[in-house]
């Protein structure tokens, strides 16, 4: 007994020494990660968590090209109906077993059951045929040229691969086990919601030999631990960064840029150069925004730069754009002054035509997301001026992400409007842009229902040429604006801040990723 006690003490001491000596990267994440299922939820902190512990069959590099990741390679039959995909060597789960195609196929099916691009692909899939542990086939009933592109998509929902037992969970339910095959493992015993979440290096992970690029290439974990610490107050986070208590702030609000720009040991980093689109989302199921005139009333009342200034401050970091599928730099879109200059008299006219009965409009205000936490109060003033009665309901991001799934009326815990964002890398593509989904009860929250728009999206998915696809996209944009399905609020850029005296290797990607980062103490 004494020998066992001494051995236990020795092991605990060894673990303590190892933890003390471990290189730890401390990051202030953009939100507190409370939902750890990146398939069940589209929120970006869940996606970022996914990139820490899971891997993908294919991945998009810094240039936007899709590259093999867990896949060694693939072949396409001459008739373009069969894709044969082979896994690379050395893939293992965090709990030991090898990754096999028996895991991959149910993972793809679970992801595709909830993802818009995945569902588009599934409509063409005749069968998933497992050949052996490392090879499987995707057999189509008609050519669909986006298979590899869709499997390599990098934004929510990302087709992360999970163990078969976990992937068996319906996409409508959250998983309860967080085992991946990626470069980091979740230290679940150290996870303290509201305080921190901890990841440790996966010593068994075998990265690809190619240099890292975006979400693709060799994912090398140079640090032993990554701790995402929760600091809702950005002034506190900046003070911690300057004092050396944290190493990285993932996303810094622009009005604090001058505070860090004058510090020699702190630098800004633009990790996502394409930017993000801010979006106002309506609940199409409930009054008053089940009526197109009520939605148009909001559309005519909006002045994008008023909202962008409130949220992002310096005009260097945002631009206006009234096209729901995005604008080229220097352009404001092709819909005149709509959403650029407000027309309050027209908005009031449309509101009256809608038959609005004066019921309170529940606007969800997520207080701890710097992408949108200042927009709801601005909208309240705008809508009140038009004639709406507005009820701004403030909450943290966790409550917000759960609340927005409520399809009931505002009086029963539902909602009428919320703000969200999308990566500009996805915005121009109606197959990836979840806000364009008008498939009714299967659509992204807001539940747009428009068969005419869906028919346009089907045509886009099977377009033979880029010219044809571009023409269809223009029609989709016009349909969304005509119906005021949602309101684009502008495009902005995100910058992080880091300690340049001890951190290097931050990669440019549409999301903050933490492989390739080195830290010197």
């Amino acid at each position: 007994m004494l020998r066992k006690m001494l051995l236990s003490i020795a092991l605990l001491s060894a673990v303590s020494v190892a933890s003390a000596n471990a290189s730890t990267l401390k990051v202030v994440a953009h939100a507190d990660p409370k939902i750890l299922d990146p398939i069940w939820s589209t929120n970006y902190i869940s996606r970022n968590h996914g990139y820490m512990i899971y891997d993908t069959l294919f991945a998009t590099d810094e240039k936007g090209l899709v590259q093999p990741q867990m896949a060694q390679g693939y072949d396409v039959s001459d008739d373009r109906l069969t894709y044969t995909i082979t896994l690379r060597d050395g893939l293992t789960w965090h709990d030991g077993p090898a990754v096999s195609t028996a895991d991959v196929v149910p993972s793809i099916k679970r992801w595709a059951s909830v993802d818009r691009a995945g569902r588009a692909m599934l409509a063409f899939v005749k069968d998933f045929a497992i050949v052996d542990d490392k090879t499987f086939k995707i057999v189509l009933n008609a050519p669909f040229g986006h298979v590899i592109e869709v499997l390599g998509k990098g934004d929510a929902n990302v087709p992360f691969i999970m163990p078969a037992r976990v992937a068996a969970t319906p996409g409508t339910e959250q998983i309860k086990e967080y085992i991946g095959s990626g470069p980091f493992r979740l230290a679940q015993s150290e996870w303290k919601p509201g305080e921190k979440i901890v990841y440790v290096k996966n010593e068994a992970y075998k990265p690809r030999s190619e240099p890292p690029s975006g979400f693709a290439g060799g994912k090398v974990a140079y640090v032993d631990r990554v701790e995402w610490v929760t600091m809702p107050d950005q002034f506190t986070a900046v003070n911690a960064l300057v004092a050396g208590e944290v190493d990285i702030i993932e996303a810094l609000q622009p009005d604090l840029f001058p505070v860090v720009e004058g510090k020699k040991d702190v630098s800004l980093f633009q990790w996502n150069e394409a930017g993000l689109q801010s979006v106002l989302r309506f609940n199409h199921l409930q009054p008053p925004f089940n009526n197109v005139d009520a939605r148009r009333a909001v559309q005519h009342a909006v002045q994008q730069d008023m909202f962008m200034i409130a949220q992002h401050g310096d005009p260097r970091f945002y631009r206006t754009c009234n096209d729901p599928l995005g604008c080229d730099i220097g352009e404001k879109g092709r819909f005149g002054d709509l959403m650029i200059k407000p027309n309050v008299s027209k908005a009031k006219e449309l509101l009256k035509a809608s038959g609005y009965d004066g019921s309170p409009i529940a606007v969800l205000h997520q207080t701890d997301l710097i992408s949108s936490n200042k927009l709801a109060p601005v909208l309240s003033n705008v809508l009140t001026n038009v004639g709406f009665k507005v009820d701004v309901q403030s909450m943290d991001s966790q409550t917000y992400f759960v609340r927005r799934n409520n399809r009931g009326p505002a009086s029963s815990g539902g909602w009428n409007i919320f703000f969200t964002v999308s990566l500009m890398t996805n915005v121009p593509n109606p197959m990836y842009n979840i806000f364009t989904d008008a498939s009714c009860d299967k659509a992204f929250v807001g539940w747009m229902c428009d068969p005419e728009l869906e028919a346009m999206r089907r045509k886009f998915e099977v377009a033979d040429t880029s010219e044809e696809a571009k023409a269809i996209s223009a029609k989709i944009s016009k349909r969304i604006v005509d119906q005021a399905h949602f309101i684009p609020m502008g495009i902005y850029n995100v910058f992080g801040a880091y300690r340049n005296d001890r951190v290097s290797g931050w990669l440019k990607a549409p999301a903050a990723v933490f492989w390739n980062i080195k830290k010197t103490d």
Side-chain angles (χ1 to χ4, degrees):
M1 178 65 71
L2 179 60
R3 182 179 180 183
K4 288 184 177 180
M5 290 178 62
L6 291 173
L7 180 59
S8 296
I9 292 171
L11 288 172
L12 286 172
S13 298
V15 170
S16 298
V17 171
S19 298
N21 293 334
S23 57
T24 300
L25 188 72
K26 292 192 175 184
V27 180
V28 179
H30 76 268
D32 180 26
K34 295 179 180 177
I35 300 173
L36 300 189
D37 184 349
I39 304 303
W40 185 83
S41 174
T42 59
N43 72 74
Y44 280 169
I45 196 66
S46 298
R47 173 207 60 188
N48 291 4
H49 157 78
Y51 275 113
M52 293 296 286
I53 71 170
Y54 300 111
D55 215 341
T56 56
L57 278 177
F58 298 89
T60 305
D61 66 16
E62 187 178 329
K63 296 180 180 180
L65 302 175
V66 176
Q67 308 291 351
Q69 191 60 33
M70 295 174 76
Q72 180 61 41
Y74 69 97
D75 293 311
V76 184
S77 62
D78 291 341
D79 60 6
R80 297 187 296 153
L81 295 179
T82 301
Y83 289 72
T84 303
I85 301 172
T86 303
L87 300 180
R88 65 186 177 92
D89 294 333
L91 301 175
T92 59
W93 296 114
H94 293 159
D95 56 351
V99 177
S100 80
T101 50
D103 303 301
V104 172
V105 169
S107 292
I108 294 175
K109 289 180 177 179
R110 180 174 189 260
W111 156 76
S113 71
V114 299
D115 182 77
R116 182 62 197 86
R119 292 203 306 271
M121 182 186 75
L122 277 188
F124 289 83
V125 173
K126 180 180 180 181
D127 187 28
F128 291 95
I130 293 177
V131 178
D132 54 38
D133 286 348
K134 294 184 63 177
T135 306
F136 73 103
K137 297 177 183 289
I138 300 177
V139 183
L140 308 181
N141 51 40
F144 178 71
H146 306 284
V147 171
I148 302 302
E149 175 189 346
V150 167
L151 291 176
K153 70 187 292 278
D155 197 18
N157 298 102
V158 178
F160 293 116
I161 304 303
M162 302 178 178
R165 66 183 183 277
V166 179
T169 307
T172 53
E173 298 177 13
Q174 290 191 54
I175 60 174
K176 298 179 175 62
E177 185 181 2
Y178 312 109
I179 298 294
S181 65
F184 294 96
R185 296 183 291 108
L186 174 65
Q188 192 163 351
S189 63
E190 298 186 62
W191 178 31
K192 298 178 180 179
E195 182 179 334
K196 70 176 181 178
I197 188 168
V198 178
Y199 304 92
V200 296
K201 180 179 180 178
N202 176 15
E203 298 287 354
Y205 184 75
K206 294 184 178 179
R208 297 188 67 90
S209 59
E210 301 92 340
S213 177
F215 296 130
K219 300 178 178 179
V220 180
Y222 288 109
V223 295
D224 299 300
R225 291 166 57 89
V226 179
E227 295 182 6
W228 292 0
V229 296
T230 301
M231 291 186 184
D233 180 68
Q234 285 243 312
F235 287 100
T236 302
V238 167
N239 288 334
L241 183 70
V242 172
E245 297 167 2
V246 298
D247 304 301
I248 292 174
I249 298 175
E250 179 196 342
L252 185 66
Q253 62 191 47
D255 58 353
L256 292 176
F257 289 178
V259 178
V260 301
E261 285 177 323
K263 309 297 181 183
K264 69 171 185 173
D265 295 331
V266 177
S267 295
L268 295 175
F269 182 81
Q270 187 177 359
W271 49 269
N272 172 24
E273 294 186 336
L276 296 98
Q277 180 192 59
S278 183
V279 168
L280 183 156
R281 192 78 176 164
F282 295 111
N283 185 337
H284 287 243
L285 295 180
Q286 299 294 337
F289 299 121
N290 58 349
N291 181 287
V292 64
D293 284 332
R295 300 195 301 270
R296 286 172 176 158
V298 179
Q299 185 185 56
H300 279 79
V302 162
Q303 181 179 346
Q304 286 187 352
D305 61 3
M306 178 188 299
F307 291 83
M308 290 292 98
I309 289 171
Q311 188 66 51
H312 306 290
D314 194 324
R316 292 177 297 167
F317 308 121
Y318 73 83
R319 55 192 175 95
T320 56
C321 168
N322 64 13
D323 191 321
L325 296 188
C327 306
D328 292 331
I329 294 176
E331 296 183 356
K332 293 184 178 180
R334 56 191 184 87
F335 297 100
D337 288 335
L338 192 62
M339 297 170 275
I340 303 299
K341 295 181 180 179
N343 187 337
V344 176
S345 60
K346 180 66 174 179
K348 289 181 177 180
E349 177 186 325
L350 287 164
L351 183 59
K352 183 177 180 180
S354 75
Y356 171 60
D357 64 2
S359 297
I361 303 299
V363 179
L364 302 187
H365 175 211
Q366 51 274 43
T367 58
D368 56 347
L369 291 180
I370 67 167
S371 60
S372 53
N373 60 356
K374 298 180 181 180
L375 300 182
V378 178
L379 182 68
S380 178
N381 291 332
V382 169
L383 296 190
T384 299
N385 187 42
V386 171
F388 287 100
K389 182 178 180 180
V390 183
D391 178 16
V392 174
Q393 301 188 8
S394 300
M395 62 200 70
D396 62 21
S397 57
Q398 167 69 4
T399 304
Y400 153 75
F401 283 120
V402 174
R403 174 76 176 275
R404 74 181 192 180
N405 289 319
N406 189 324
R407 302 188 184 209
S411 59
S412 300
W415 57 276
N416 298 111
I417 287 174
F418 70 80
F419 290 96
T420 186
V421 300
S422 178
L423 290 173
M424 282 305 298
T425 50
N426 290 334
V427 167
N429 188 327
M431 190 166 61
Y432 290 170
N433 188 332
I434 61 175
F435 303 139
T436 67
D437 188 344
S439 59
C440 307
D441 62 320
K442 293 182 179 180
F444 179 66
V445 285
W447 307 287
M448 285 164 44
C449 192
D450 185 346
E452 183 174 334
L453 177 56
E454 282 299 284
M456 293 178 186
R457 285 159 53 84
R458 296 295 82 72
K459 291 180 180 178
F460 176 88
E461 291 165 4
V462 297
D464 290 326
T465 66
S466 59
E467 291 77 13
E468 182 182 355
K470 185 176 181 180
I472 297 170
S473 290
K475 292 180 180 179
I476 289 173
S477 281
K478 186 176 186 305
R479 179 67 180 178
I480 291 169
V481 171
D482 287 347
Q483 296 297 307
H485 279 316
F486 63 88
I487 300 180
M489 302 298 292
I491 298 168
Y492 68 98
N493 294 107
V494 174
F495 290 78
Y498 70 102
R499 295 285 308 202
N500 59 39
D501 57 338
R502 63 192 188 205
V503 173
S504 62
W506 202 350
L507 293 170
K508 292 184 181 297
V513 295
F514 297 98
W515 56 82
N516 199 58
I517 293 183
K518 298 178 181 179
K519 179 182 177 182
T520 56
D521 293 313

